[in-house]
Amino acid sequence: MKFDFKEIQLQYQGFSESHFLWKGILENSIQNIELKHRNLKLTKNLANHNLRLGKLVEQFVFNEFLADTTIQILLENIQIQKDKITIGELDGILTLNNIPIHLEIIYKFYLYDNTEGETEMEHWIGPNRRDSFFQKFRKLVDKQLPLLYKKTTKDTLKDHHLDVNTIIQRVYFKAQLFPHLNDINKIFPLINNDCVEGFYIFKKELTLFKDCKFFIPTKHNWLTKPHTNIKWLKMEDFLLDLDVFLKEKNAPLCWLKKRNGMLLKFFVVWW
């Protein structure tokens, strides 16, 4: 799906205003990169792109770095191959204050379900229950970050005059979080609570919002802050569109406009 510059700028603004999923070092092993500058202007030409959401976010991150004079981007999306077969990819190699860094970029939407798993990290799950914060943490620790030290990676980076032994590792892990409506004021000890962007409900709970209007953005626009320059739906029309998603076991992110003009983000889940 292609978007014009104005729509991409709104996506980028929403991305820029979101937060890192945790503060400091997570589980004594993974640390988010520390940035001093925020670039709210999209300078990269991404109009009419055909990038999937994850790749678009990577370009947003690299755009953000352009405003920071302490950062120099050396390599983007480095394919690591063995016998002509790709065994992995490094999202980026950059320097921060002249220190070389291998950076993995992640942007997630998680819902909180305390019936899933036993720990808070396991309770944060994808909208369709196909992934979780815990699964992503394990993938980072067990696969993505160790890739840097594989012989094939060392050889690849040596071609770019980079020594793996001098490179430190950081992540850029942002997220939007959605506890159930009943837990909207709950404080979560593991994560950065500034990441809470809205709530989720079950279809039967939509009766709580019968006097509201609704909108279902495309997935790329999940990044975007709700705004009024759209065609809002009344409940009956919204339910027709919603059922298409739920029947296919897809939980859509939706926008809600209350009678007082307040705009909110929420998921309606099928499970």
Side-chain angles (χ1 to χ4, degrees):
M1 181 173 292
K2 296 184 178 181
F3 303 93
D4 61 28
F5 181 81
K6 183 177 180 180
E7 194 167 13
I8 296 173
Q9 180 66 52
L10 289 174
Q11 293 168 0
Y12 179 70
Q13 183 177 342
F15 152 82
S16 297
E17 294 176 2
S18 54
H19 300 274
F20 287 122
L21 184 51
W22 67 88
K23 299 177 181 180
I25 301 176
L26 179 69
E27 300 288 313
N28 298 314
S29 59
I30 302 182
Q31 183 173 345
N32 273 304
I33 191 169
E34 295 182 7
L35 302 176
K36 295 183 178 179
H37 302 279
R38 290 177 62 203
N39 182 12
L40 294 180
K41 184 177 180 181
L42 181 61
T43 53
K44 276 186 170 247
N45 181 15
L46 298 174
N48 298 314
H49 73 81
N50 197 23
L51 300 172
R52 61 180 179 82
L53 183 57
K55 288 298 182 183
L56 178 63
V57 165
E58 289 179 8
Q59 291 305 305
F60 283 169
V61 172
F62 295 133
N63 180 89
E64 189 174 44
F65 290 165
L66 295 176
D68 194 329
T69 57
T70 66
I71 293 177
Q72 180 183 2
I73 301 169
L74 302 180
L75 298 170
E76 300 179 20
N77 307 122
I78 309 103
Q79 299 286 323
I80 307 301
Q81 295 186 331
K82 183 177 181 180
D83 299 327
K84 298 183 179 181
I85 297 174
T86 300
I87 62 171
E89 178 182 284
L90 307 180
D91 287 345
I93 302 289
L94 54 92
T95 59
L96 174 60
N97 294 317
N98 297 316
I99 299 173
I101 294 174
H102 161 221
L103 188 71
E104 286 298 314
I105 298 168
I106 308 100
Y107 197 106
K108 290 290 188 178
F109 297 82
Y110 288 136
L111 283 54
Y112 185 80
D113 180 4
N114 62 10
T115 68
E116 182 73 22
E118 298 179 354
T119 66
E120 184 186 336
M121 195 183 287
E122 293 172 300
H123 296 339
W124 290 109
I125 61 173
N128 296 311
R129 310 187 74 89
R130 299 186 188 120
D131 63 330
S132 71
F133 182 18
F134 177 75
Q135 289 173 327
K136 186 58 184 180
F137 171 77
R138 291 289 2 139
K139 184 177 180 181
L140 279 167
V141 171
D142 298 336
K143 183 177 180 181
Q144 290 177 278
L145 296 178
L147 178 63
L148 179 68
Y149 303 108
K150 299 288 187 181
K151 183 182 183 303
T152 48
T153 306
K154 291 179 180 180
D155 293 341
T156 300
L157 294 183
K158 190 180 296 183
D159 292 339
H160 296 279
H161 310 290
L162 291 167
D163 181 0
V164 165
N165 296 318
T166 67
I167 299 175
I168 65 174
Q169 300 199 91
R170 295 289 184 267
V171 299
Y172 187 110
F173 200 136
K174 282 189 171 184
Q176 294 187 35
L177 303 181
F178 298 81
H180 185 266
L181 180 62
N182 293 337
D183 292 325
I184 196 64
N185 295 316
K186 182 180 176 71
I187 300 298
F188 303 98
L190 179 67
I191 53 87
N192 177 7
N193 285 262
D194 291 335
C195 291
V196 175
E197 291 276 351
F199 57 89
Y200 75 89
I201 56 175
F202 301 95
K203 181 182 176 182
K204 62 184 180 182
E205 295 172 303
L206 279 168
T207 55
L208 297 169
F209 305 102
K210 60 184 178 181
D211 295 327
C212 299
K213 293 185 178 180
F214 306 88
F215 178 72
I216 304 178
T218 61
K219 189 163 186 179
H220 284 68
N221 286 326
W222 286 14
L223 297 169
T224 305
K225 298 285 186 181
H227 57 81
T228 57
N229 190 27
I230 55 171
K231 185 178 180 181
W232 291 99
L233 300 175
K234 294 181 179 179
M235 176 69 81
E236 53 268 30
D237 295 323
F238 169 66
L239 289 174
L240 291 175
D241 290 348
L242 177 65
D243 281 342
V244 175
F245 289 90
L246 300 184
K247 287 178 181 178
E248 295 182 356
K249 294 188 176 182
N250 284 319
L253 184 145
C254 309
W255 297 357
L256 179 151
K257 183 170 76 169
K258 291 188 173 183
R259 295 186 69 179
N260 63 5
M262 180 182 291
L263 302 177
L264 300 171
K265 272 186 174 182
F266 72 106
F267 277 91
V268 183
V269 299
W270 52 266
W271 33 269

